[in-house]
Amino acid sequence: MTDDTQEIQDIKGFQPRSVRYAKQLNEDFAEGLSGLYSAVWADRDNGLSKKNKHLLVFAIACSNLKTESAVKILQRLKKFGATPEEVKDAMMIAAWTGGIQNFTDFTPNILKEMERLGF
């Protein structure tokens, strides 16, 4: 496993399927894809924290009705110390951008996972 691939696994908690599939096609392609993940999730001076990045992708996943992804991201948010209020704010932003119907569609599964995780 390359340094980038290990870093991705540490951040996400698992190796993304896209990286696994890319390795089956071409090692250079897999390295490039791993580099993209590393660039997005890197810590940068004056940049967003990993927690804030996860809050952003959580809100986007919710607003796009990617509920399974949002549930997985909640687990990462717990790891990175997000508060219940931060998660709820992100859900409200998702409702604002995705619409109230989307909110009613994604909320039941998210609330169940929040309870399970102790948010």
Side-chain angles (χ1 to χ4, degrees):
M1 196 176 307
T2 66
D3 289 342
D4 280 345
T5 304
Q6 183 60 51
E7 181 181 351
I8 294 164
Q9 191 160 339
D10 292 344
I11 291 167
K12 293 190 68 75
F14 57 90
Q15 186 179 63
R17 287 182 303 187
S18 58
V19 174
R20 284 197 324 265
Y21 297 154
K23 281 183 180 182
Q24 293 174 359
L25 294 176
N26 179 283
E27 189 62 37
D28 289 338
F29 181 54
E31 287 298 315
L33 192 52
S34 293
L36 173 63
Y37 274 95
S38 294
V40 168
W41 293 101
D43 287 322
R44 285 180 281 286
D45 289 340
N46 300 316
L48 294 171
S49 68
K50 283 190 175 66
K51 178 180 79 172
N52 285 332
K53 289 177 183 183
H54 279 88
L55 285 164
L56 284 170
V57 297
F58 174 73
I60 293 166
C62 288
S63 69
N64 288 325
L65 293 179
K66 303 294 186 191
T67 308
E68 287 182 37
S69 292
V71 165
K72 289 178 184 176
I73 296 164
L74 268 177
Q75 296 165 5
R76 308 312 297 161
L77 284 166
K78 185 73 172 176
K79 175 186 175 188
F80 288 110
T83 67
E85 288 70 29
E86 289 171 323
V87 173
K88 291 172 188 175
D89 279 350
M91 289 175 70
M92 288 187 281
I93 294 295
W96 181 264
T97 60
I100 294 303
Q101 184 57 52
N102 281 5
F103 176 75
T104 60
D105 290 344
F106 72 74
T107 300
N109 291 338
I110 301 300
L111 290 174
K112 186 186 313 180
E113 184 67 5
M114 286 176 70
E115 184 176 329
R116 188 186 78 74
L117 293 170
F119 273 109

